[in-house]
Amino acid sequence: MKKIDLTEAKKMVDHYHATRKNVIDKTHGINDTKSVWFDIDAFKDFVNKLPAHATGVRVHLAAHDEKHPTTPGQTTVMLAGTVDKDSSHADALSDSSLLADGLDPVNEGKTCPPYCP
């Protein structure tokens, strides 16, 4: 990972809002997700439960369906541990046999909105 300048980070977030979030909001008639927060202990627990041969964590963008109780239709993320397979970082979403390796994807971070600081 590489640190980025705060000004650049804000510019990137603003660019996302202007080019993606606003389109999603208008197209789907919602106030879509701006961020997803994960409790640090839950995040550490997820990482610590990955098998020793894990190579990393992939963040998948996803969306809840319209029946979700708190964030219907909103963007969310899933975290999935990865392993080296055929010279790539594979996860259970691309290869379901990896579920047996303890690489189950996780979700349920708190999305903003509605859970904004």
Side-chain angles (χ1 to χ4, degrees):
M1 287 192 242
K2 177 184 167 191
K3 285 186 181 182
I4 62 172
D5 178 80
L6 181 59
T7 301
E8 181 66 16
K10 288 180 178 182
K11 180 180 170 184
M12 291 169 65
V13 169
D14 289 346
H15 186 68
Y16 173 82
H17 287 223
T19 62
R20 280 34 168 218
K21 184 183 180 313
N22 287 343
V23 172
I24 293 169
D25 289 352
K26 289 176 186 172
T27 302
H28 296 281
I30 61 174
N31 183 14
D32 198 32
T33 305
K34 297 190 288 185
S35 64
V36 180
W37 177 86
F38 288 92
D39 174 82
I40 191 67
D41 291 329
F43 194 85
K44 288 178 183 178
D45 187 52
F46 168 73
V47 171
N48 290 333
K49 286 183 179 175
L50 292 174
H53 63 285
T55 59
V57 176
R58 179 168 286 119
V59 179
H60 285 276
L61 299 175
H64 290 293
D65 66 24
E66 284 66 28
K67 295 179 184 175
H68 192 270
T70 57
T71 54
Q74 280 186 231
T75 301
T76 188
V77 297
M78 287 181 286
L79 306 177
T82 62
V83 294
D84 185 28
K85 186 166 185 180
D86 302 324
S87 298
S88 70
H89 301 284
D91 64 39
L93 280 97
S94 63
D95 183 346
S96 62
S97 71
L98 295 175
L99 289 173
D101 284 350
L103 295 169
D104 303 66
V106 299
N107 181 248
E108 293 309 315
K110 295 198 181 286
T111 58
C112 170
Y115 305 105
C116 298

